[in-house]
Amino acid sequence: MSAFSSDPGLDGVQDVTGDGVEVDVATHLLNGTVRLSILWTQEIVLSPDDADQVAQALHRAAEQGREIQKATQA
């Protein structure tokens, strides 16, 4: 079982070229680090709306990561 939790609000963001490439943003639940993954390739071409979704997911993951890090330091 992975200690990473993927952002559910990012489900289905795919490459606009139709290659099936996806992006994933996840937070490590034990140490609060954030993972940005581009699945099935090394690059992804996003629509402006999907790029905005990825940015929002990264922001949510950063906030969650800060909360986890505060809890583990207390």
Side-chain angles (χ1 to χ4, degrees), residues 6-66:
S6 294
D7 187 302
L10 196 58
D11 188 39
V13 173
Q14 293 190 358
D15 191 293
V16 295
T17 63
D19 292 335
V21 177
E22 299 175 26
V23 66
D24 179 58
V25 174
T27 307
H28 194 285
L29 299 176
L30 300 178
N31 64 19
T33 57
V34 176
R35 179 185 70 194
L36 172 62
S37 300
I38 301 173
L39 310 172
W40 325 126
T41 190
Q42 293 184 4
E43 69 177 39
I44 188 168
V45 181
L46 299 172
S47 70
D49 289 342
D50 283 349
D52 190 44
Q53 285 185 15
V54 171
Q56 291 174 18
L58 282 167
H59 182 62
R60 288 189 297 266
E63 290 299 316
Q64 184 181 20
R66 284 186 194 98

